[in-house]
Amino acid sequence: MNSRQPIPVVVLAGFLGSGKTTVLNHLLAGRGGTRIGVVVNDFGSIEVDAMSVAGQVGDSMVSLGGGCLCCAVDGSELDAYLEKLSAPVHRIDVIVIEASGLAEPQEMIRMLMASENPAIRYGGMVEVVDAAEFDATRTRHPETDRHLAVADLVVLNKIDRVDAAERARIEQQLAVVCAPGTPVMATDYGRIDPELLFDRRPWTETRGQLSFEDLLAEADDHESDHEHGHGRCDHAHAAYESTEFTSEQALSPRRFIDFLDRRPAGLYRIKGFVYFGVPGHEERYEVHAVGRFLRFAPRPWGRGEARVSQLVLIGSGTDGPGLLRELQACREAAPHEARPESMWGVLRYVARPAEPVSGVPATGSDET
């Protein structure tokens, strides 16, 4: 990632016991060389021991040589810590906020979208759900349904503790409670591939002492041995499919937006860039989608860079050839003849400084 671009801020929500902290630990363990800033209420079960070895633990912040900064804050301090984490000196690539206890997820989404800090941008909201305690959680916390309604991606955790019939019943309930098209990712032990939320950099070689990644990897190996009585088990992301699309021909903005509006629930992430070639909008449009969340960011082309579109689509149970056929149908032979208003659908998803709080859609993504 280019540190000069706005840093995506991902909201990770879920009630006590859902496995939210375990999900966060897996994101940290599998981040490769990506520098993650994490904002939490308290450190709880976050890998504090590994952090203590890799860096220094202060009263409210952990600063790691391995590239992770963690802040323990309350809601009133959130803006200040986001500003601190997004400072260029830290070279943070992505920020993950553990939302529980800080604020209602929808209020946090509004706060992030209305932020006047040009160094950050909202990157989607992930809600972690305990499959074994689904009904009990909804009874104890009536606000659960409200949280699910604003989620861009739902992680249905602890599926190893329910049978197939119960899992199907819960997924049917989620389809009713969540906004239409919200993808539900089933997992156990909080295993979620970081690639579904952000790009990972390759690990850097370490010398003399273990890096933060090494420490977390060792902890994960130990956890797997303890939980399963054998070596590290296969991660859920082994079942994900990746489909790549490249076009030297411009894409129709209207047909491409229609494709995104109709994307299947199993398509968890889309990343890459698109060339539309519409007069007045000939920039390179970066695409970032997590679940229902969608953002475009216009960027200048590099000197001599070919005007092409390149996308990677990551999902489970998706029809790769079918997705490619739909994308090929988005190609436009005469983009220079398109009228400027053909870009309106795309421009709805271009982040603007200090977006208005009023009328912010529940998903934070213009009702994608």
Side-chain angles (χ1 to χ4, degrees), residues 348-364:
R348 287 175 57 204
Y349 300 101
V350 173
R352 298 174 181 83
E355 295 186 35
V357 174
S358 61
V360 171
T363 65

Side-chain angles (χ1 to χ4, degrees), residues 341-352:
E341 53 264 34
S342 66
M343 286 291 296
W344 288 354
V346 171
L347 297 178
R348 287 175 57 204
Y349 300 101
V350 173
R352 298 174 181 83

